[in-house]
Amino acid sequence: MLRHEFQPGRLIVGVFLTASGIAYAGDAGGLWQTEWFAVIPAMVTGLVLAAVTASVTRAVRRRRRTTARPDAAP
């Protein structure tokens, strides 16, 4: 498998989507009752956290790239 850079924002979105899927699967299986609107606040929270995480990750990577360039010999 080819290596790729780690993207924590996508990980956070995946966790929240999986959690909402589990909530609806439990409702469909009769384990508990989940209202149709109950997952919306969780998804909005997950998307906001993912956006903040992605922004911080991009800023850190951009800063590392700019600080690494002066050390490199042309």
Side-chain angles (χ1 to χ4, degrees), residues 37-72:
F37 57 84
V39 178
I40 294 172
M43 288 307 305
V44 170
T45 303
L47 289 172
V48 169
L49 284 174
V52 169
T53 303
S55 298
V56 169
T57 302
R58 182 175 178 178
V60 167
R61 287 183 179 161
R62 182 181 293 171
R63 183 176 174 127
R64 283 186 184 172
R65 242 184 278 142
T66 58
T67 57
R69 283 192 180 157
D71 295 340

Side-chain angles (χ1 to χ4, degrees), residues 14-38:
V15 167
F16 276 86
L17 281 173
T18 302
S20 64
I22 290 170
Y24 282 131
D27 184 29
L31 298 175
W32 56 77
Q33 293 290 94
T34 304
E35 298 294 330
W36 65 269
F37 57 84

